Amino acid sequence: MINILHDSDADTAILNGKTIAIIGYGNQGSAQALCLRDSGVKVIIGETEILNGVKNPSWERAKEAGFEVYDIATAAAKADIVHMLLPDEHHGRIYREFIAQHMTKGKALSCSHGFNIVFKQIIPPSAVDVIMVAPKSPATEERKAYLEGFGVPGLVAVRQNASGKAREIALAMAKAMRFTRAGVLECTFEEETFEDLFGEQNVLCGGLVELMKAGFEVLTEAGYPPEMVYFEVVHEMKLIVDLIYEGGIQKMNSIISNTAEWGEYVVGPKIIDRGVKNRMKKALKDIESGKFAREWMAEAAKGCPNLLAKRKALGEHPIEVTGRRVRALFEKKN
Ligand code: NAI
Ligand code: MG
């Protein structure tokens, strides 16, 4: 059994007198910066004031929240712990350009996703600690849980322990963000990176979205009204997942009808069949071998033309068009 760490396994005192620079005040950056600061940790922000020719709203938001905001190089120079929370595809370039020269002996480089370390977009000097402190949650939930006095679960990992205190620092950050209230798992950078990519591609984002789209297309192409179909294959997903979250699959099954449960057993495995599992194994291999990362970095280097085209196409898919209409109707009535 994997070891789950709680508040008593961590001590935030090791952060006393240390400055954490959060690089990138976006979804995770803002949530983590606010939680760390509320727990008494000295936090500064490293951001880009002008991004793609316009004023970066994240810079403004960080200022409005009362943080000291610096350009990325200055923040990295001032910090003891440089916690990188930029979009993953920009880490390598920004690290090399603005951060590398400030990663001097005794400092720590930290992140919430191991991608850039594992796939060697960032190669830190051996004299610094390299750690990961990651919430297993979207940023909004993380901040909400913190404010409610609880916290979301998290992961910590140590890649380099130059100071001899890397694990303590990672756990202290996790405690300050209240991840240790819910429970923190210790893992390796590879485990977090490979699992995270696999989960989002095959089950959580990729798998789920394609499953809902296929169901939506089959029913609407057969002539069923899109609004009704939307409720069936998208909206109800949340209700089902909430039950599983609360009490597992059996709890969900105990609440749905026997008819639904019977359909789950006899039809489900015919839809999500061995072929799906075999393709998932291939997807895992492509992650572990670095093939997926290479292709994604090549796409990012070109300015993400395919990502942007796919994003646009999804917005025009009937499932999204219907969703917008359904939500607007409901907002009006309630
Ligand atoms: P984000 O998409 O919110 O972006 C963060 C900030 O980076 C932006 O506010 C912007 O100011 C800056 N930025 C964007 N493009 C830039 C560019 N070209 N040059 C310079 N700065 C730029 O990032 P997000 O989603 O918060 O992810 C940050 C890190 O946290 C990633 O490593 C991600 O894997 C990790 N993570 C994210 C989770 C999430 O729920 N979004 C969950 C767990 C980990
Ligand atoms: Mg994930």
Side-chain angles (χ1 to χ4, degrees), residues 107-120:
K107 290 198 181 190
L109 183 68
S110 172
C111 58
S112 285
H113 184 27
F115 189 100
N116 285 286
I117 296 289
V118 169
F119 297 116
K120 301 201 164 39

Side-chain angles (χ1 to χ4, degrees), residues 73-85:
T74 306
K78 284 179 179 283
D80 302 289
I81 300 166
V82 177
H83 191 39
M84 288 191 74
L85 294 175

Side-chain angles (χ1 to χ4, degrees), residues 308-322:
L308 297 175
K310 286 182 189 301
R311 189 179 282 169
K312 182 161 181 289
L314 177 63
E316 290 158 7
H317 188 286
I319 200 169
E320 285 297 281
V321 175
T322 305

Side-chain angles (χ1 to χ4, degrees), residues 121-313:
Q121 302 298 303
I122 292 178
I123 302 174
S126 56
V128 303
D129 292 341
V130 179
I131 57 176
M132 173 169 34
V133 187
K136 284 317 282 176
S137 157
T140 43
E141 290 310 302
E142 181 185 334
R143 181 65 181 149
K144 195 167 139 239
Y146 180 99
L147 290 172
E148 284 165 359
F150 199 59
V152 295
L155 297 175
V156 297
V158 175
R159 178 74 163 201
Q160 283 181 196
N161 183 14
S163 70
K165 296 278 179 220
R167 180 175 182 267
E168 287 77 0
I169 293 170
L171 281 172
M173 287 171 67
K175 184 175 187 177
M177 292 189 275
R178 297 196 174 147
F179 303 161
T180 45
R181 286 226 177 146
V184 161
L185 301 179
E186 264 184 298
C187 64
T188 65
F189 269 61
E190 275 80 6
E191 283 168 343
E192 183 276 339
T193 302
F194 297 161
E195 260 190 40
D196 193 69
L197 291 172
F198 180 86
E200 66 203 17
Q201 292 171 15
N202 292 271
V203 183
L204 304 174
C205 310
L208 177 65
V209 166
E210 290 310 316
L211 186 66
M212 293 192 296
K213 269 161 74 181
F216 185 89
E217 287 170 9
V218 167
L219 282 172
T220 52
E221 283 164 19
Y224 294 89
E227 292 79 4
M228 243 179 96
V229 173
Y230 191 83
F231 274 105
E232 192 57 48
V233 302
V234 182
H235 199 84
E236 266 194 57
M237 185 70 80
K238 170 166 169 42
L239 313 175
I240 292 296
V241 169
D242 281 350
L243 290 172
I244 297 173
Y245 180 86
E246 264 173 49
I249 297 167
Q250 287 179 306
K251 156 107 190 221
M252 185 270 288
N253 283 345
S254 74
I255 287 172
I256 64 177
S257 67
N258 290 338
T259 311
E261 186 183 357
W262 172 242
E264 173 188 319
Y265 297 142
V266 299
V267 182
K270 290 186 199 150
I271 304 300
I272 307 295
D273 61 5
R274 303 282 319 172
V276 170
K277 194 168 161 188
N278 287 337
R279 288 191 294 280
M280 283 187 178
K281 286 184 182 173
K282 169 81 171 59
L284 180 59
K285 285 228 154 50
D286 288 348
I287 291 168
E288 291 171 341
S289 70
K291 182 170 183 281
F292 170 80
R294 266 194 307 281
E295 289 171 359
W296 170 219
M297 288 301 104
E299 166 74 4
K302 285 184 292 187
C304 298
N306 296 301
L307 175 79
L308 297 175
K310 286 182 189 301
R311 189 179 282 169
K312 182 161 181 289

